[in-house]
């Protein structure tokens, strides 16, 4: 195809205008200009030069190249191209074209006739807005303690795990600890676990064991691990953490976890690659094509980048990663760096900060004391002034700032910190209103946003601060949340969903491995406010826990697992939708997810998952019609 001088001129003018707008806003994150995603200028000059020269090269290639081959995929039902409320069925086709060289969708169109049609209902690839990739992979290779109800059951699961790893040798030794996650003292018949539970058993007595609580905000260790510590020299109190001493030693929470995790022999690069591969395969099985990795150390970001470049077959999930400094809640410009790999496989441009701990371990920071433990209001992992300073410093460094906040005091401090950053002229220059700056450029987020005072909910709306919510946290916590917080705080502050929808499509996720990554369970929990495992609500709320007040529609919930994460990752019009120029990521289902009954949502199973135009998961491997190749000019359909 010949390059038109007018088209070239218009293209270069568009790039120049985009660069000017980007420089004006002076942030790193994309701005939508027409249908083009343009990256705003970061501080790093070399990064800027590479990015813009690459953009020009890519543009010139796109306008001069001839499409030699287009892969056509047609289905026997209309394609759901988006879950946006204004999208109508008339805009859907039943076929899509994919450019295999870029992994992008070339068109969506309709075709009549029965030939070469694949079975199933197509929807945009699903995203998890808050998960932990490496930790999930490690969980898949560790001890699963979710739902354990007694110390005998815990020990039985550990023994079964050790038996399954007998051929590996050394599991449970000083250099290869037994790892696991999922215990909950609220479920265990004997209450809070201790090191004695394991040392009382001859088979486990000398094993090095470290088991994380269900929320990963506490860890329980064996006596062998305790013996590595001089217990007599442990501090009486740990700022932002707790060493649990009653009924006995063995559990360390939040900042106190560093005492034992610092002794743990970390997995090597080969083990981590194995974890990532296992995790991505499991995510693809439930229809996930992308995820927001909520806290990744710089050395692991390096590993991710190596895997994308060298182990492409293993890397089947798009990752939007948040940097977490080696020392939590600090500024680490010497090791933190932005990444944006071609093809949309890995993007790093945000940071994860932590305001408090978790509700289940009384670690979330509350304005008023806990109803079931009046002696405490939880604890802040970092004081308010330090959080303000960190948020502002990271924002000035052109990072999206994402703050973990569960309790209402922690959320207040998080909102204060983000509001302060949005008022800074280095962050939002030239008098740009804070809300506009937030929506276009910053897109600051609160991770979990679980318990928020009504005054602070109003401030979030006013500023457009994005809530990142995990619907299954609400249905997992509903068994004890009212006991922790009391009826008034639950009714006014806790687990907001529908009432926060006007901020924009919130980011929905699961926080895997804390909860299963299955997004259909998340949709079910968001819509029905009932447990996706049992299909029932707590006593007195059999129809759904605050469903009338906070339940989402099915379309809203799927929007939160598609467009919501895409927008928060600066990938709108690329991810979470099926459209020309977007990522060729889609999921094939046996049923129309918008027409099944609410109670059927939790049982939905994925038929196929496609990422970048390639099938990465097939449930049964049944034969399908061959994918059609369209060569040269497109047919007029």
């Amino acid at each position: 195809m010949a390059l038109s001088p007018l088209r070239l001129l218009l293209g270069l003018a568009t790039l120049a205008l985009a660069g000017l707008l980007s420089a004006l806003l002076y942030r790193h994150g994309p701005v939508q200009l027409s249908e083009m995603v343009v990256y705003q200028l970061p501080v790093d000059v070399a990064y800027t030069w590479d990015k813009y020269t690459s953009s020009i090269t890519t543009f010139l290639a796109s306008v001069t190249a001839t499409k030699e081959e287009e892969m056509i995929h047609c289905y026997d039902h209309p394609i759901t191209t988006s879950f946006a409320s204004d999208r109508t069925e008339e805009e859907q086709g039943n076929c899509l074209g994919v450019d295999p060289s870029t992994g992008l969708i070339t068109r969506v169109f309709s075709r009549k006739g029965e030939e070469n049609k694949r079975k199933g209902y197509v929807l945009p690839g699903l995203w998890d807005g808050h998960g932990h990739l490496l930790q999930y992979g490690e969980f898949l290779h560790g001890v699963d303690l979710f739902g354990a109800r007694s110390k005998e059951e815990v020990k039985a699961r550990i023994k079964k795990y050790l038996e399954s790893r007998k051929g590996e040798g050394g599991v449970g030794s000083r250099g290869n600890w037994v790892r696991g996650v999922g215990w909950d003292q609220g479920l265990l018949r004997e209450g809070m676990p201790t090191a004695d539970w394991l040392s009382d058993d001859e088979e486990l007595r000398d094993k090095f064991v470290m088991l994380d609580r269900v929320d990963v905000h506490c860890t329980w260790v064996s006596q062998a691990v305790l013996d590595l510590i001089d217990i007599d020299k442990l501090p009486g109190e740990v700022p932002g953490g707790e060493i649990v001493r009653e009924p006995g030693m063995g559990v360390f929470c939040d900042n106190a976890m560093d005492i034992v995790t610092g002794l743990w022999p970390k997995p090597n690069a080969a083990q981590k690659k194995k974890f990532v591969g296992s995790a991505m395969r499991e995510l693809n099985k439930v229809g996930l094509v992308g995820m927001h990795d909520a806290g990744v150390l710089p050395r692991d970001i390096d590993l991710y980048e190596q895997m994308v470049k060298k182990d492409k077959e293993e890397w089947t999930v798009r990752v939007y990663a948040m940097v977490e400094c080696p020392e939590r809640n600090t500024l680490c410009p010497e090791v933190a760096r932005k990444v944006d790999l071609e093809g949309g496989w890995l993007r790093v441009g945000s940071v994860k900060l932590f305001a408090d701990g978790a509700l289940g371990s009384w670690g979330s920071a509350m304005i008023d004391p806990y109803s079931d433990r009046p002696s405490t209001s939880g604890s802040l992992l970092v004081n308010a002034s330090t959080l303000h300073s960190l948020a502002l410093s990271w924002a000035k460094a052109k990072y999206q700032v994402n703050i973990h906040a569960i309790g209402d005091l922690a959320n207040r401090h998080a909102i204060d910190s983000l509001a302060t950053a949005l008022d800074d002229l280095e962050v939002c220059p030239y008098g740009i209103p804070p809300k506009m700056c937030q929506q276009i450029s910053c897109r600051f987020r609160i991770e979990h946003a679980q318990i928020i005072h009504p005054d602070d909910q109003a401030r979030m709306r006013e500023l457009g601060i994005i809530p990142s919510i995990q619907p299954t946290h609400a249905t997992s916590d509903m068994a004890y949340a009212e006991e922790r917080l009391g009826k008034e705080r639950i009714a006014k502050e806790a687990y907001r969903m529908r009432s926060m929808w006007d901020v924009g499509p919130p980011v929905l996720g699961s926080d895997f491995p804390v909860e299963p990554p299955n997004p259909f369970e998340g949709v079910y929990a968001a819509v029905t406010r009932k447990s996706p495992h049992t299909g029932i609500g707590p006593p007195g709320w059999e129809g759904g826990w605050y469903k009338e007040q906070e339940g989402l529609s099915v379309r809203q919930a799927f929007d939160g697992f598609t467009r919501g994460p895409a927008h928060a990752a600066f990938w709108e019009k690329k991810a979470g939708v099926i459209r020309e120029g977007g990522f060729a990521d889609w999921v094939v289902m046996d049923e129309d997810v918008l027409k099944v009954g609410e109670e059927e949502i939790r049982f939905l199973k994925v038929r196929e998952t496609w990422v970048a135009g390639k099938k990465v998961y097939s449930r049964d491997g049944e034969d399908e019609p061959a994918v059609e190749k369209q060569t040269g000019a497109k047919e007029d359909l």
Side-chain angles (χ1 to χ4, degrees):
M1 179 176 67
L3 177 60
S4 161
L6 178 60
R7 187 174 182 187
L8 176 60
L9 182 63
L10 289 173
L12 292 174
T14 300
L15 285 171
L17 180 60
L20 179 63
L21 177 60
S22 179
L24 181 68
L25 292 174
Y26 198 60
R27 293 202 49 80
H28 177 224
V31 168
Q32 298 302 318
L33 186 64
S34 181
E35 295 185 356
M36 184 187 301
V37 178
V38 181
Y39 292 86
Q40 298 163 292
L41 287 172
V43 178
D44 189 329
V45 176
Y47 180 100
T48 303
W49 174 253
D50 290 344
K51 196 69 191 175
Y52 279 87
T53 54
S54 174
S55 295
I56 293 170
T57 301
T58 300
F59 171 77
L60 291 174
S62 70
V63 299
T64 58
T66 300
K67 298 295 184 186
E68 294 295 340
E69 190 176 83
E70 180 189 44
M71 311 301 285
I72 303 297
H73 303 262
C74 290
Y75 291 86
D76 57 0
H77 295 283
I79 293 170
T80 298
T81 55
S82 171
F83 290 103
S85 58
D86 59 352
R87 187 58 58 99
T88 65
E89 288 193 9
E90 285 71 27
E91 296 174 284
Q92 300 172 355
N94 69 316
C95 297
L96 53 89
V98 176
D99 181 346
S101 65
T102 63
L104 300 179
I105 293 173
T106 55
R107 55 181 173 144
V108 180
F109 61 98
S110 294
R111 171 185 284 174
K112 297 180 180 180
E114 299 300 322
E115 70 283 354
N116 293 328
K117 286 188 178 177
R118 307 167 75 85
K119 298 178 181 178
Y121 295 81
V122 172
L123 59 145
L126 301 171
W127 280 69
D128 192 300
H130 183 116
H132 303 275
L133 187 63
L134 268 173
Q135 292 91 326
Y136 181 51
E138 184 182 1
F139 160 71
L140 294 171
H141 291 269
V143 184
D144 181 350
L145 297 177
F146 286 93
R149 296 188 172 274
S150 70
K151 71 177 182 180
E152 292 304 320
E153 184 176 353
V154 168
K155 291 193 289 185
R157 293 194 193 187
I158 297 173
K159 291 176 184 179
K160 184 177 179 181
Y161 170 80
L162 287 169
E163 181 66 25
S164 70
R165 297 295 189 274
K166 185 176 290 186
E168 297 178 15
V171 179
S173 66
R174 174 69 180 89
N176 188 7
W177 294 13
V178 173
R179 293 285 285 120
V181 65
W183 63 268
D184 182 349
Q185 80 277 8
L187 289 179
L188 293 169
R189 187 180 304 121
E190 298 84 358
M192 187 66 73
T194 68
D196 288 342
W197 284 20
L198 305 179
S199 58
D200 286 347
D201 190 295
E202 186 175 349
E203 293 181 56
L204 303 176
R205 183 169 300 149
D206 299 321
K207 301 294 184 185
F208 288 80
V209 181
M210 185 166 71
L211 308 167
D212 294 336
R213 192 183 181 276
V214 59
D215 54 21
V216 200
H217 281 267
C218 293
T219 196
W220 163 32
V221 298
S222 64
Q223 187 62 47
V225 175
L226 287 181
D227 288 343
L228 300 175
I229 306 167
D230 190 342
I231 294 178
D232 294 334
K233 293 184 179 180
L234 287 175
E237 294 185 2
V238 176
E242 180 183 6
I243 301 172
V244 178
R245 291 181 165 88
E246 294 295 335
M249 291 292 294
V251 173
F252 298 77
C253 295
D254 290 316
N255 286 350
M257 293 169 66
D258 294 342
I259 296 169
V260 291
T261 57
L263 302 170
W264 169 48
K266 307 299 187 293
N268 58 35
Q271 290 172 312
K272 288 180 179 180
K273 288 181 179 180
K274 184 177 181 181
F275 294 162
V276 169
S278 297
M280 288 190 167
R281 286 190 291 275
E282 291 301 311
L283 298 181
N284 290 154
K285 287 180 183 179
V286 292
L288 289 170
V289 302
M291 56 91 63
H292 294 198
D293 204 343
V296 187
L297 297 174
R299 64 173 179 268
D300 294 328
I301 288 173
D302 294 342
L303 177 78
Y304 287 5
E305 188 170 12
Q306 291 172 17
M307 288 190 69
V308 173
K309 293 177 177 178
K310 297 179 181 179
D311 303 294
K312 291 184 178 179
E313 295 304 316
E314 285 287 307
W315 194 272
T316 59
V317 175
R318 302 183 191 277
V319 174
Y320 180 74
M322 309 174 198
V323 175
E324 181 182 342
C325 289
E327 182 182 349
R328 180 172 285 184
N329 285 333
T330 58
L331 190 67
C332 56
E334 69 283 357
V335 291
R337 63 188 180 91
K338 299 182 180 74
V339 177
D340 196 4
L341 297 187
E342 186 176 359
W345 292 107
L346 176 64
R347 173 177 284 176
V348 184
S350 62
V351 65
K352 175 84 174 289
L353 301 176
F354 294 80
D356 65 347
L359 182 69
S361 52
W362 297 275
S364 52
M366 304 300 301
I367 296 171
D368 297 313
Y370 282 95
S371 299
D372 62 342
R373 198 173 173 181
S375 61
T376 184
S377 300
S379 58
L380 293 166
L381 300 186
V382 60
N383 62 48
S385 60
T386 302
L387 187 64
H388 291 4
S389 176
L390 285 169
L392 181 57
S393 296
W394 280 106
K396 287 181 176 181
K398 319 308 171 192
Y399 279 80
Q400 178 193 42
V401 181
N402 305 331
I403 303 177
H404 164 115
I406 291 182
D408 53 12
L409 179 62
N411 274 282
R412 177 163 292 176
H413 288 336
I415 295 165
D416 288 344
S417 299
L418 299 178
T420 299
L422 290 170
D423 279 334
D424 190 273
L425 287 178
E426 285 189 49
V427 178
C428 297
Y430 309 110
I432 299 173
K435 186 168 187 177
M436 180 183 295
C437 183
Q438 161 68 5
Q439 290 176 336
I440 295 175
S441 180
C442 297
R443 302 190 190 176
F444 296 150
R445 300 164 46 166
I446 295 182
E447 303 302 314
H448 306 304
Q450 204 159 298
I451 306 156
I452 311 173
H453 190 280
D455 293 346
D456 298 316
Q457 293 175 38
R459 294 170 66 211
M460 284 187 72
R461 293 189 191 93
E462 181 182 345
L463 291 170
I465 294 172
I466 299 171
S468 175
I469 301 166
Q470 298 75 51
T472 48
H473 279 352
T475 56
S476 290
D477 293 358
M478 63 188 179
Y480 66 85
E482 191 168 294
E483 182 181 346
R484 285 278 192 282
L485 302 175
K487 291 183 178 181
E488 184 175 355
R489 279 188 289 195
I490 290 291
K492 294 181 178 180
E493 300 187 20
Y495 305 98
R496 307 289 93 180
M497 288 186 213
R498 183 190 298 174
S499 59
M500 297 302 292
W501 195 259
D502 54 353
V503 178
V507 179
L508 298 186
S510 66
D511 201 11
F512 62 78
V514 174
E515 302 278 358
N518 189 335
F520 301 103
E521 293 186 3
V523 169
Y524 178 84
V527 171
T528 68
R529 304 277 290 197
K530 295 188 290 188
S531 167
H533 309 300
T534 65
I536 60 175
W541 295 92
E542 287 77 10
W545 196 49
Y546 290 93
K547 178 184 177 182
E548 297 302 316
Q549 296 87 343
E550 295 297 335
L552 301 180
S553 71
V554 174
R555 184 178 287 275
Q556 284 177 323
F558 275 108
D559 210 26
F561 280 98
T562 49
R563 288 196 314 135
H567 173 264
F570 303 95
W571 258 327
E572 63 264 48
K573 297 191 176 182
K574 283 289 187 183
V577 294
I578 295 176
R579 67 185 301 278
E580 182 179 345
F583 297 141
D585 305 340
W586 68 91
V587 176
V588 184
M589 307 295 295
D590 294 317
E591 303 169 86
D592 185 337
V593 298
L594 293 175
K595 294 181 179 178
V596 300
E598 288 183 359
E599 293 302 320
E600 299 305 311
I601 294 173
R602 66 190 180 108
F603 299 116
L604 290 171
K605 300 295 182 185
V606 169
R607 185 187 186 95
E608 295 173 358
T609 303
W610 294 70
V611 181
K614 296 180 180 180
K615 189 191 295 186
V616 296
Y617 169 72
S618 178
R619 185 183 63 216
D620 46 28
E622 68 180 17
D623 292 335
E624 293 280 4
V627 177
E628 179 184 337
K629 296 180 181 179
Q630 180 71 35
T631 303
K634 298 175 184 175
E635 56 183 317
D636 186 12
L637 299 170

